[in-house]
Amino acid sequence: MKFLRYFVIAFAALLVWQGVIWVFHFPPFILPSPFSVFNSLVTHCLLIAQNAWPTVLEALLGLLFGGLAGIWAALCLSYFRWARSWFLPLLITSQALPIFAIAPLLVIWFGYGIASKIVVTMLMIFFPVASAFYDGLRRTPSEWLDLGQVMGASRLRSLWKIRIPSALPALGSGLRVAATFAPMGAVIGEWVGSSRGLGFLMLNANARMQIDLMFAVLFVLIVLTLILYFTVDKFLRKMIFWSSHA
Amino acid sequence: MNFSQNKPLSISVNNLSLKYHHHPLFDQFNFHLPGGSWTCLLGVSGVGKSTLLKLIAGLPTGVDHAIDSSVIVTSDGRPLAGRIAYMAQQDLLMPWLNVLENCLIGHRLRGQAVSKEEKNHALDLLRQVGLEKAASLKTSQLSGGMRQRVALVRTLLEERPVVLMDEPFSALDAITRLKLQDLAADLLIGKTVLLVTHDPLEALRLGDRVCILRGAPAELSEILVMESPRPRSPEDVNLLKRQAELLAQWR
């Protein structure tokens, strides 16, 4: 039933898209038809697949390293009281950084290859993961901590056995958001400077007025993002089985 | 460490003075918990019962200043830390652990390995509270009464001479509450128990002494001594008569 609903929504969107073209007579270089986009997807499937792989790798590695960095930052802020006053402003600043503006700098510092794209992706997802997990750690029910204190738990063991498991649902929320940002981060890095990837392919298609190819790449990017999101979501539901998200 | 063979531990609160947001909560307050018996502390919400219990437990209470270590003394002169088991109004079961793991949570939190004997002891206690088949269940599969029974087993497994209970059965329905009271009375033998409650019947059923806390700053206005063994039947006419007298005086 759920898939039927998704199919109906997708079909309705395609109808609206085609309907807009019929009504307003947009030229193909402004808004290509769904059929021409599908045709482009089939014609260039090998090219798209060859360029999808680097973007997927950048997104996954960026998600992994950015997630780990966010988790580490949240744990430090939670455990070391002095870290809050010194590093919390830095955490907030990381979110205020305009990624589009500093991406060229990152290409200069880390090169034209995969590293700069991974760093861009890490910067995009670091704050959602760190802030969500830190928030979860701060909101550990005090009654659990009281029980731990009476039972003789050390501060470290209280963090490991009570605070961290208690904060995992919040971390899960941050990781779900990060999963939707990661492909975008990889593409932004490719837009600034790359020789391969879906972002590179989009730029090239745009320069050659191959708007149908651009849309085809965009469609593939959306599908990849959805696959990544639902994979992360399924994994989190299994691991954090007690969370109300399940 | 098993403290059960030691002499019952009594606790005294001496000249406690405490303010909460600049309002006097206690002023030269004195309170005694006789060793090996149940003391029930009765009072309306906000009078300071839970604060007093948490002070004895060494837990944060949000009061204006820390108290001196000489205010709370034990009969053997040693600190209370590490000798208390605590049971709150919420069951405090951790949802990422199953029932058996929750019962043995004290060992995990202290970094102690769980021996086969301790595991069997936990399973035996679960059987005594009627949860022999629930050991591997997730906490989300338990009813409220079942959850508090697991909390009771967790408390017992700590094997501490002092048990502090802060309205542990107040969130349960009346029948389940009576059953849990019976279980607690049967299993917590030889311990020094402080039970904080706002239910007069519960206090009269379980307490060897029933103390009423009231006023601001809080004072003990009444101390009843109950001589019959616990748990006393809720259908006992004399008990119900005492409850009526208590309520009349309390109001």
Side-chain angles (χ1 to χ4, degrees):
Chain A
M1 191 65 198
K2 192 165 66 172
F3 288 110
L4 181 64
R5 189 169 64 238
Y6 292 157
F7 177 77
V8 167
I9 292 168
F11 187 70
L14 287 173
L15 276 181
V16 167
W17 179 356
Q18 186 64 59
V20 163
I21 292 172
W22 282 334
V23 169
F24 295 102
H25 305 291
F26 285 117
F29 58 86
I30 296 292
L31 183 64
S33 68
F35 177 74
S36 65
V37 170
F38 175 74
N39 195 34
S40 184
L41 186 65
V42 170
T43 308
H44 299 101
C45 63
L46 188 61
L47 178 67
I48 292 173
Q50 284 170 342
N51 283 277
W53 168 240
T55 304
V56 167
L57 187 63
E58 289 153 11
L60 288 177
L61 289 176
L63 181 62
L64 174 67
F65 294 135
L68 288 173
I71 288 168
W72 175 85
L75 286 173
C76 288
L77 287 171
S78 174
Y79 192 74
F80 299 109
R81 293 191 181 100
W82 54 266
R84 274 166 236 162
S85 47
W86 290 99
F87 292 112
L88 199 54
L90 287 176
L91 174 68
I92 298 164
T93 305
S94 73
Q95 179 60 12
L97 280 173
I99 294 291
F100 275 97
I102 68 162
L105 262 176
L106 295 173
V107 172
I108 293 171
W109 289 343
F110 295 98
Y112 226 61
I114 195 174
S116 54
K117 287 75 178 166
I118 292 172
V119 172
V120 170
T121 309
M122 283 175 67
L123 281 174
M124 278 195 80
I125 72 166
F126 172 75
F127 181 80
V129 173
S131 70
F133 194 33
Y134 177 57
D135 207 42
L137 289 167
R138 278 193 316 146
R139 289 174 192 274
T140 306
S142 59
E143 297 81 13
W144 279 340
L145 298 174
D146 286 348
L147 183 69
Q149 183 180 331
V150 172
M151 285 182 163
S154 64
R155 234 177 121 230
L156 189 59
R157 203 157 266 122
S158 182
L159 175 70
W160 182 240
K161 297 286 186 188
I162 301 176
R163 283 187 185 269
I164 288 176
S166 164
L168 286 181
L171 174 61
S173 296
L175 287 173
R176 286 182 179 91
V177 169
T180 59
F181 281 177
M184 195 193 322
V187 164
I188 289 171
E190 288 164 2
W191 279 345
V192 174
S194 66
S195 55
R196 53 186 194 148
L198 291 177
F200 166 75
L201 194 56
M202 282 176 81
L203 279 180
N204 264 279
N206 187 42
R208 294 173 189 184
M209 297 299 284
Q210 289 175 297
I211 309 303
D212 51 347
L213 176 58
M214 253 191 83
F215 268 71
V217 172
L218 197 57
F219 171 75
V220 168
L221 199 52
I222 291 170
V223 168
L224 287 175
T225 303
L226 289 174
I227 290 172
L228 181 59
Y229 173 82
F230 284 114
T231 305
V232 167
D233 181 59
K234 190 165 175 137
F235 172 75
L236 289 170
R237 281 171 187 269
K238 196 173 166 60
M239 296 307 294
I240 314 174
F241 54 85
W242 64 92
S243 169
S244 56
H245 283 289
Chain B
M1 195 183 295
N2 189 342
F3 292 95
S4 58
Q5 286 85 29
N6 295 344
K7 195 177 166 185
L9 193 67
S10 66
I11 299 168
S12 296
V13 176
N14 302 317
N15 300 321
L16 171 67
S17 294
L18 212 63
K19 285 186 182 173
Y20 183 71
H21 294 321
H22 308 296
H23 295 291
L25 201 58
F26 297 103
D27 186 21
Q28 299 294 307
F29 179 78
N30 293 289
F31 185 53
H32 182 68
L33 294 175
S37 70
W38 284 57
T39 302
C40 290
L41 191 59
L42 202 54
V44 296
S45 300
V47 74
K49 318 183 291 295
S50 295
T51 302
L52 182 61
L53 182 142
K54 285 188 168 184
L55 280 170
I56 295 172
L59 291 172
T61 55
V63 294
D64 292 355
H65 56 85
I67 60 165
D68 190 74
S69 58
S70 62
V71 170
I72 298 173
V73 293
T74 56
S75 51
D76 61 4
R78 285 163 49 217
L80 264 176
R83 303 201 281 170
I84 295 172
Y86 174 59
M87 202 169 155
Q89 185 178 348
Q90 305 96 343
D91 47 73
L92 303 183
L93 299 187
M94 294 178 190
W96 51 88
L97 302 173
N98 65 23
V99 165
L100 185 63
E101 288 164 343
N102 265 288
C103 291
L104 294 163
I105 185 70
H107 293 76
R108 291 169 71 105
L109 291 175
R110 289 185 291 272
Q112 297 164 344
V114 176
S115 66
K116 204 174 169 190
E117 289 77 25
E118 280 157 345
K119 191 177 167 188
N120 288 336
H121 182 38
L123 290 168
D124 184 55
L125 283 172
L126 282 172
R127 185 190 53 76
Q128 288 186 52
V129 301
L131 291 176
E132 60 270 18
K133 292 179 185 168
S136 58
L137 290 182
K138 300 276 188 287
T139 60
S140 57
Q141 295 170 281
L142 307 178
S143 67
M146 291 166 82
R147 294 170 72 96
Q148 273 300 42
R149 277 186 272 164
V150 175
L152 184 59
V153 169
R154 183 190 64 212
T155 305
L156 286 161
L157 282 168
E158 286 292 282
E159 293 187 335
R160 298 290 186 253
V162 177
V163 179
L164 304 178
M165 303 167 84
D166 191 357
E167 302 185 31
F169 312 127
S170 61
L172 303 171
D173 64 85
I175 302 300
T176 309
R177 195 183 315 149
L178 290 173
K179 288 179 182 173
L180 262 293
Q181 288 166 0
D182 292 343
L183 268 174
D186 290 340
L187 295 170
L188 289 172
I189 295 170
K191 312 281 185 189
T192 303
V193 177
L194 172 61
L195 171 64
V196 163
T197 180
H198 57 251
D199 182 353
L201 185 63
E202 181 168 275
L204 290 168
R205 287 198 73 215
L206 298 175
D208 296 314
R209 292 164 75 237
V210 178
C211 306
I212 299 171
L213 197 65
R214 58 176 158 191
E219 288 175 342
L220 289 174
S221 68
E222 189 87 29
I223 298 179
L224 304 176
V225 177
M226 311 294 291
E227 286 167 1
S228 55
R230 85 183 79 83
R232 295 158 202 112
S233 170
E235 291 132 7
D236 184 340
V237 172
N238 288 327
L239 195 79
L240 295 171
K241 193 176 161 191
R242 283 196 98 165
Q243 182 190 4
E245 288 167 2
L246 194 63
L247 281 169
Q249 285 167 4
W250 195 5
R251 288 167 69 185

